[in-house]
């Protein structure tokens, strides 16, 4: 990062394509659900929504893995140790392949029992199980795609992942309605259309991405050097997991909490499940904005740590907090101006729409404290410290969110489940901020690689 340029321009130049990338990922899920809700029905939307926490649970591992790899890549890049980058990438891809293939084999067989365990309403169980089966079987494609686009950002390249996601999203959005209806000679696969479209788009985009990286002689190009390092390097793997495993565990705990919350929501019927899915889609945009800022803080912070620049790391944290208030807070405010119009894109049923609007009003604003909390944890993660922030998050979820959701669901009903979100996100902000300022900030800063 150049010292001659203001930090906010460096931050924004990296953040902008990152936010667009995450928006594209959300867009594919949202528009796919629009296709299903409008072309198939509310039952299809509810069936896909029932699988959402499972998908989050599984992708938590790959996102944690990519986090650890990206931090190490960022530190190596900031320190000028470019020769170590492909060792990190090769090890990470090898682990990702092994993990995703195991998930595909086991998950594809046990998809229906899994959906039964989640207390999926009987009227959507068959559709939810069919969707889950295809998503699980094609999981390796999604894992490798997410790993590659995440790791490319570690060297400060936010544009290439954006282009890859744009291509993948465009292919997926074109294929999904074609697969719903069975047009242009394609089979009509109904509710599984979005899953098949994602698998096909990931495959085609990975091929194009590999060719692009090779032609550009990119630091992460899949050349002979990278292929030689496509194996488990014990020393590097230990460092990747040292950061990635706590991050993954933290996300898994969040996913388990989502499964518990979904079980509570499912107890109120399929309309509540459909509303849950729609509200999660809308909140996904505000939370992905916050997470984009956190990722930018982590990656740019890792480069600052690699270069041994504490002052720059402090400035990156301040930028992250400011951007969260402006961007995440601004998006929340815009949605609050017209919640029915936003939710109406996903929902056609009037009763479900009214229900979803009330739930959105309760929970949406909490994306702001969520974002502020992730800035502090992201900065510490960029320096290679992931365990304590993870433990603080687990404490907030286990000791505050779940008890609040269970108690409030029995005392005030469905709205009580959603009240748990602002409660836990505010608690996370207090815990992460206090630890950052009172403990971690006073320690010496060291790079890992």
């Amino acid at each position: 990062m150049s010292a001659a340029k203001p930090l906010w321009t460096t931050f924004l130049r990296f953040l902008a394509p990152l936010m667009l990338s995450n928006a594209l990922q959300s867009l594919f899920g949202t528009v796919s659900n629009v296709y299903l809700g409008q072309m198939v029905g509310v039952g299809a939307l509810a069936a896909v929504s029932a699988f959402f926490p499972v998908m989050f649970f599984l992708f938590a591992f790959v996102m944690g893995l990519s986090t650890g790899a990206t931090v190490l890549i960022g530190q190596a890049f900031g320190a000028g140790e470019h020769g170590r980058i492909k060792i990190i990438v090769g090890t990470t891809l090898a682990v990702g392949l092994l993990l995703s293939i195991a998930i595909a084999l086991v998950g594809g067989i046990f998809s229906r029992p899994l959906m039964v365990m989640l207390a999926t309403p009987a009227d959507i169980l068959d559709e939810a199980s069919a969707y889950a089966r295809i998503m699980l079987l094609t999981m390796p494609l999604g894992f490798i795609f997410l790993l590659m686009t995440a790791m490319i950002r570690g060297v400060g390249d936010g544009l290439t992942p954006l282009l890859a996601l744009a291509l993948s999203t465009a292919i997926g959005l074109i294929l999904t309605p074609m697969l719903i209806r069975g047009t242009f000679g394609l089979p009509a696969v109904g509710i599984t259309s979005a899953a098949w479209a994602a698998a096909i788009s990931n495959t085609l985009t990975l091929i194009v991405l590999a060719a692009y990286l090779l032609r550009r002689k990119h630091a992460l190009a899949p050349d002979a050097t990278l292929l030689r390092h496509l194996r488990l390097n014990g020393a590097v793997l230990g460092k990747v997991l040292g950061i990635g495993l706590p991050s993954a565990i933290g996300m898994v705990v969040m996913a388990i909490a989502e499964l518990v919350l979904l079980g509570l929501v499912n107890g109120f019927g399929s309309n509540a499940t459909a509303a849950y899915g729609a509200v999660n889609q809308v909140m996904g945009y505000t939370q992905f904005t916050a997470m984009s800022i956190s990722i930018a803080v982590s990656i740019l912070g890792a480069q600052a740590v690699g270069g041994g620049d504490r002052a720059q790391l402090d400035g990156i944290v301040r930028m992250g907090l400011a951007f969260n208030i402006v961007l995440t807070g601004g998006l929340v405010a815009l949605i609050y101006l017209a919640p029915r119009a936003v939710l109406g894109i996903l929902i056609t049923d009037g009763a479900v729409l009214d229900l979803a609007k009330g739930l959105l009003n309760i929970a949406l604003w909490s994306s702001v404290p969520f974002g502020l909390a992730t800035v502090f944890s992201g900065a510490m993660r960029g320096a290679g410290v992931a365990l304590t922030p993870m433990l603080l998050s687990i404490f907030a979820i286990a000791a505050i969110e779940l008890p609040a959701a269970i108690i409030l669901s029995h005392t005030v009903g469905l709205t009580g489940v959603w009240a748990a979100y602002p409660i836990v996100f505010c608690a996370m902000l207090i815990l992460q901020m206090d630890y950052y300022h009172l403990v971690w900030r006073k320690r010496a800063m060291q790079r890992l690689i």
Side-chain angles (χ1 to χ4, degrees):
M1 290 179 288
S2 173
K5 296 179 181 178
L7 180 57
W8 72 268
T9 61
T10 301
F11 196 100
L12 184 60
R13 191 168 61 249
F14 184 81
L15 177 63
L18 181 58
M19 286 185 61
L20 287 172
S21 297
N22 284 329
L24 284 174
Q25 287 179 307
S26 295
L27 178 66
F28 179 70
T30 300
V31 177
S32 294
N33 282 351
V34 170
Y35 286 146
L36 291 173
Q38 301 284 350
M39 299 173 70
V40 183
V42 172
L45 178 60
V48 172
S49 299
F51 183 71
F52 176 80
V54 181
M55 184 170 65
F56 185 90
F57 179 87
L58 295 175
F59 272 89
F61 287 103
V62 74
M63 292 172 73
L65 194 62
S66 69
T67 297
T70 303
V71 167
L72 291 182
I73 291 169
Q75 290 191 6
F77 184 76
E81 298 282 348
H82 295 183
R84 301 190 63 82
I85 291 175
K86 287 191 176 176
I87 300 175
I88 300 167
V89 174
T91 297
T92 305
L93 288 176
V95 175
L97 278 170
L98 291 173
L99 178 63
S100 60
I101 290 171
I103 289 172
L105 292 176
V106 176
I109 295 171
F110 296 104
S111 55
R112 185 179 180 88
L114 176 63
M115 301 313 292
V116 171
M117 285 175 56
L118 293 177
T120 304
D123 57 335
I124 59 173
L125 178 60
D126 289 340
E127 291 180 312
S129 300
Y131 179 80
R133 184 175 300 110
I134 303 304
M135 286 296 295
L136 292 167
L137 288 173
T138 59
M139 196 64 69
L141 294 168
F143 269 38
I144 298 306
F145 182 77
L146 279 179
L147 282 175
M148 281 303 298
T149 51
M151 290 190 295
I152 289 170
R153 298 187 185 103
V155 297
D157 180 4
L159 182 60
T160 300
L162 173 60
L163 295 174
L165 284 163
L167 177 61
S168 176
T169 301
I171 295 171
L173 293 182
I174 292 170
L175 284 177
T176 300
M178 294 169 62
L179 288 169
I180 290 176
R181 296 297 193 202
T183 55
F184 296 99
L186 293 173
V189 294
I191 192 172
T192 62
S193 58
W196 282 114
I200 295 169
S201 64
N202 284 338
T203 302
L204 296 176
T205 305
L206 281 171
I207 295 171
V208 174
L209 178 61
Y212 176 81
L213 294 175
L214 286 167
R215 193 183 72 215
R216 293 285 303 273
K217 294 181 169 42
H218 195 279
L220 274 75
D223 54 17
T225 303
L226 178 57
L227 294 177
R228 281 199 305 272
H229 292 299
L230 191 61
R231 54 187 172 82
L232 301 182
N233 181 306
V236 172
L237 179 59
K239 292 176 180 178
V240 169
L241 294 180
I243 303 168
L245 196 56
S247 301
I249 291 172
M251 295 190 67
V252 167
V253 171
M254 290 181 66
I256 292 172
E258 283 296 316
L259 295 179
V260 174
L261 295 182
L262 176 60
L264 294 173
V265 169
N266 284 341
F268 292 93
S270 56
N271 275 3
T273 305
Y276 167 89
V279 173
N280 265 329
Q281 284 287 327
V282 175
M283 287 188 65
Y285 283 97
T286 57
Q287 291 181 355
F288 278 138
T289 300
M291 290 170 66
S292 297
I293 297 169
S294 176
I295 293 169
V297 168
S298 183
I299 294 174
L300 296 179
Q303 294 180 9
V305 171
D309 194 337
R310 165 76 78 172
Q312 190 171 54
L313 179 60
D314 291 340
I316 289 167
V317 171
R318 289 192 295 271
M319 283 295 113
L321 295 173
F323 274 105
N324 247 300
I325 292 171
V326 173
L327 297 179
T328 308
L331 183 57
V332 166
L334 285 174
I335 295 172
Y336 270 134
L337 289 175
R340 287 185 68 87
V342 174
L343 290 166
I345 298 172
L346 294 164
I347 301 170
T348 55
D349 185 281
V352 177
L353 180 59
D354 289 338
L355 179 60
K357 178 179 176 294
L359 301 177
L360 188 72
N361 287 337
I362 294 170
L364 181 62
W365 67 271
S366 64
S367 296
V368 177
F370 167 80
L372 297 175
T374 61
V375 168
F376 293 110
S377 60
M380 292 185 281
R381 188 170 57 246
V385 178
L387 180 60
T388 302
M390 177 269 290
L391 292 175
L392 292 174
S393 294
I394 290 177
F395 172 79
I397 291 169
I400 299 173
E401 180 183 27
L402 293 182
I406 294 170
I407 293 170
L408 292 174
S409 69
H410 287 94
T411 55
V412 300
L414 179 62
T415 57
V417 179
W418 289 90
Y421 286 102
I423 291 171
V424 73
F425 291 152
C426 289
M428 283 182 178
L429 172 58
I430 294 169
L431 291 170
Q432 300 288 358
M433 179 174 60
D434 285 352
Y435 181 77
Y436 176 87
H437 284 295
L438 300 178
V439 181
W440 182 83
R441 183 64 183 75
K442 299 177 180 178
R443 295 177 177 173
M445 187 176 73
Q446 294 181 332
R447 66 184 178 93
L448 299 177
I449 197 164

